[in-house]
Amino acid sequence: MAEANDKKKVLAVEDDLFLKELLAGKLSDDEFDVSYAATGEDALELADSEKPDIILLDILLPGMSGFEVLEKLKADEGTKDIPVVILSNFGQTEDIEKGKSLGAVDFLVKANNSLDAIVEKVREVASGEQS
């Protein structure tokens, strides 16, 4: 149905190799063109050069935190409109509120969401179905 170049681009920012591999398999099996970054610095470079349709962002990253990455993405004219979904093990109310106040469209706690639920959220946000 969709041409290969019509695939939605997803940037997954995740330093956990095991989860990265699971996400890669699940998202790539679906209708997404996925790229990965393991650090905040790499995430900012890829977001700027690839202009993904959605960014899945972990909070706990080596060096720059996901919150810092989110702040920089939203402050940059070239990346500020890319929807960001935080995918983290942090699930405290303060973390969720901070993520959303910095501009994330949603906050998914890894332990509370299956891979299928994560893919469904990516599909929803990438297609513009979420306000």
Side-chain angles (χ1 to χ4, degrees), residues 72-131:
K72 289 180 185 298
L73 287 168
K74 294 304 175 185
D76 185 296
E77 199 59 40
T79 57
K80 69 179 176 122
D81 294 327
I82 300 170
V84 177
V85 174
I86 294 175
L87 181 60
S88 177
N89 281 321
F90 294 146
Q92 300 297 330
T93 305
E94 312 85 72
D95 295 321
I96 295 169
E97 287 173 357
K98 181 175 182 179
K100 289 189 174 182
S101 74
L102 291 173
V105 296
D106 211 337
F107 193 114
L108 302 178
V109 179
K110 291 176 186 176
N112 299 346
N113 288 277
S114 67
L115 278 175
D116 288 335
I118 293 166
V119 170
E120 188 54 41
K121 176 56 71 176
V122 169
R123 187 180 295 122
E124 181 184 303
V125 173
S127 68
E129 291 172 17
Q130 179 171 346
S131 55

